[in-house]
Amino acid sequence: QAQLVESGGGLAQAGGSLRLSCAASGRTFSNYAMGWFRQGPGKEREFVAAVRSGGRTYYADSVKGRFTISRDIAKNTVALQMNSLKPEDTAVYYCAAALAATMNGDEYNYWGQGTQVTVSS
């Protein structure tokens, strides 16, 4: 059974950094695009970043230049390095996998359970 498990969330101060990790198991996701989404309190889920199997990356405008997505295909993992955090980055962050890189969460087939990120001002 395929499974994605996030880790690394927590509390950070504005301007600080956190690194999220997502470990995939149950199947190989080498041919899948991997993405990160988030859902803040009272907000809809939104795209954060994605990385193709070939390594090309995509970012939401709100995180461009501050967040970096990376993947290790051999280890079946994907990470999200978050720098210069802002209070508006507070959300539950989800790892997801899709057959093609897309900002549309409905096209992702696999989802993790989420990890909470809270940024204090």
Side-chain angles (χ1 to χ4, degrees):
Q1 181 177 351
Q3 190 175 17
L4 301 176
V5 179
E6 303 95 336
S7 61
L11 178 65
Q13 291 188 332
S17 299
L18 283 174
R19 183 177 177 85
L20 305 183
S21 295
C22 174
S25 63
R27 66 162 296 151
T28 178
F29 288 92
S30 59
N31 293 328
Y32 280 71
M34 301 297 294
W36 287 94
F37 289 77
R38 67 186 182 186
Q39 186 166 16
K43 299 181 181 179
E44 294 187 353
R45 182 183 64 194
E46 65 175 352
F47 170 80
V48 175
V51 56
R52 283 185 175 180
S53 57
R56 184 172 180 177
T57 57
Y58 304 83
Y59 296 95
D61 288 342
S62 59
V63 306
K64 202 170 294 183
R66 300 189 297 122
F67 290 11
T68 302
I69 188 171
S70 60
R71 70 186 297 172
D72 186 328
I73 290 180
K75 294 183 178 179
N76 228 10
T77 60
V78 61
L80 185 69
Q81 178 66 42
M82 306 185 294
N83 299 328
S84 302
L85 284 164
K86 303 176 180 180
E88 51 263 44
D89 293 321
T90 295
V92 178
Y93 283 71
Y94 298 90
C95 173
L99 288 172
T102 170
M103 294 188 290
N104 184 353
D106 292 339
E107 297 185 26
Y108 283 75
N109 310 101
Y110 300 95
W111 290 85
Q113 82 289 349
T115 186
Q116 176 70 46
V117 170
T118 302
V119 183
S120 62
S121 58

